[in-house]
Amino acid sequence: MYKKVLVPVDGSERSLKALDCASALTGQNGGKLVVLHVVKYIKETHLFEVPDIMEEINKGREIFGEKLLEEMKARLGPAVSANGQFLKVISQFPAEVIVNTAKQESCDAIVMGARGLGKAETLFLGSVSASVLNMTDLPVLIVK
């Protein structure tokens, strides 16, 4: 049914479960996975006006993203990884990146965790998964 499924991952347990679920969904019909990690950069604000520190934090986030995608390749195994795409995007807006990537890659569905690593943000801004649900017409499977 689903030929190409987008799976955003952030390293949380729920995003790992979503990856496993999407792998099973696409594996049943020879579909393809698009694994995405959004590196959320810290912008200069009045709280953080030390560019060197922000640069180091952002560099660390990029390195984390690269390592995370390598771990996801290993988790999926060589057969699935060879048939998948692994993307790292830098942005302030993860939900927008997820929806836009799904469109650009012609995905049939999005499979994602219910809540990722940004628990404090969800208190004030709403969760990324809720935003994705509101921004796309694609089927979205939320994994708890």
Side-chain angles (χ1 to χ4, degrees):
M1 182 171 183
Y2 298 114
K3 296 288 182 200
K4 199 170 190 183
V5 175
L6 176 69
V7 187
V9 295
D10 62 5
S12 68
E13 188 61 36
R14 288 187 176 165
S15 76
L16 298 178
K17 287 180 181 180
L19 181 67
D20 293 342
C21 181
S23 177
L25 278 175
T26 56
Q28 293 173 355
N29 62 4
K32 196 172 198 179
L33 283 179
V34 178
V35 181
L36 170 69
H37 176 70
V38 181
V39 178
K40 190 170 179 187
Y41 261 31
I42 296 175
K43 287 176 47 177
E44 190 171 321
T45 68
H46 295 295
L47 298 175
F48 295 102
E49 292 187 352
V50 184
D52 293 341
I53 292 173
M54 290 187 327
E55 187 177 319
E56 284 300 312
I57 291 170
N58 289 333
K59 187 176 180 179
R61 287 178 173 211
E62 276 194 63
I63 292 168
F64 171 81
E66 291 166 10
K67 288 181 180 178
L68 178 63
L69 289 177
E70 288 303 315
E71 289 173 17
M72 298 305 99
K73 287 180 187 178
R75 183 180 184 97
L76 292 170
V80 177
S81 293
N83 194 31
Q85 290 177 268
F86 295 83
L87 308 172
K88 181 184 74 171
V89 176
I90 297 167
S91 175
Q92 285 291 310
F93 309 103
E96 287 181 14
V97 171
I98 292 165
V99 172
N100 290 337
T101 301
K103 283 181 191 173
Q104 290 168 356
E105 296 297 326
S106 301
C107 293
D108 303 313
I110 301 170
V111 178
M112 59 191 303
R115 177 183 249 172
L117 296 176
K119 292 178 184 173
E121 286 181 19
T122 61
L123 295 173
F124 304 107
L125 304 174
S127 68
V128 173
S129 55
S131 296
V132 168
L133 279 169
N134 290 320
M135 294 172 66
T136 187
D137 293 330
L138 291 174
V140 179
L141 173 60
I142 306 293
V143 179
K144 285 186 157 191

